[in-house]
Amino acid sequence: MILFIIFIAGISSLILGLLVLYKLPGLKTARLFFLFTCASTVWIFTNFLWLLTHDYFWLKATYTSGVAFVLSGLLWVCHLTGTKIPLWHYALYVVGFALGIASLIDNLVVLRPYAFVTTNTIIASGPVSVTKGVLFDALSIFMFIAMTLTIVRL
């Protein structure tokens, strides 16, 4: 049931972005909102695929797409509120881009999940067995700062 709900959330996010873009195609804010909803959709679907397959690639992609989601949200909100993007925000984007790429490298943000195996039967695997990598805390702090900035801008 949870997979169905996550799938519907991803489709709904994409449809919302397409509707806004369709209604206001010439408006830059609408295009940035569409970018934000696309990032949201990708983040939702990477989570969906991770839960469905428990494949390590989708776990890493979830963290990378989460960074894209937060950065696109910050960009959209800055434009929506008419806030000029401060110079130091560009440093935040560079750090975010670097952490997003680092998320795709094995064992930097999250360690490869392991499975408990006894007599060739998997007892537990997947999200329960995910452990933090070296850069996990840095990514968490980055996500907190970027989301806080987005909320403050609203």
Side-chain angles (χ1 to χ4, degrees):
M1 184 64 171
I2 190 72
L3 286 175
F4 177 72
I5 293 169
I6 292 170
F7 183 79
I8 295 301
I11 296 293
S12 300
S13 176
L14 184 61
I15 289 172
L16 177 63
L18 286 169
L19 284 172
V20 170
L21 188 63
Y22 176 75
K23 291 289 186 182
L24 305 164
L27 197 59
K28 185 175 181 181
T29 305
R31 291 191 305 266
L32 289 173
F33 180 75
F34 177 69
L35 176 69
F36 172 68
T37 58
C38 284
S40 170
T41 300
V42 170
W43 193 17
I44 291 168
F45 278 122
T46 55
N47 276 284
F48 172 79
L49 290 168
W50 159 242
L51 290 172
L52 185 66
T53 66
H54 298 292
D55 185 67
Y56 185 48
F57 171 78
W58 292 118
L59 176 62
K60 295 183 299 183
T62 294
Y63 285 91
T64 299
S65 58
V67 170
F69 168 75
V70 170
L71 291 178
S72 65
L74 183 59
L75 184 65
W76 168 60
V77 166
C78 281
H79 192 273
L80 179 69
T81 59
T83 306
K84 186 175 180 341
I85 299 175
L87 195 55
W88 64 271
H89 271 217
Y90 293 103
L92 189 68
Y93 280 96
V94 170
V95 169
F97 183 77
L99 285 170
I101 295 299
S103 298
L104 292 173
I105 299 171
D106 287 359
N107 300 322
L108 273 184
V109 173
V110 289
L111 301 179
R112 182 177 292 278
Y114 56 89
F116 299 103
V117 179
T118 56
T119 64
N120 297 330
T121 304
I122 296 177
I123 295 172
S125 68
V128 175
S129 58
V130 173
T131 53
K132 300 187 318 184
V134 180
L135 294 178
F136 185 86
D137 291 332
L139 180 70
S140 299
I141 292 167
F142 166 79
M143 294 288 278
F144 177 77
I145 290 170
M147 284 193 238
T148 302
L149 284 171
T150 304
I151 292 168
V152 167
R153 297 274 181 231
L154 282 174

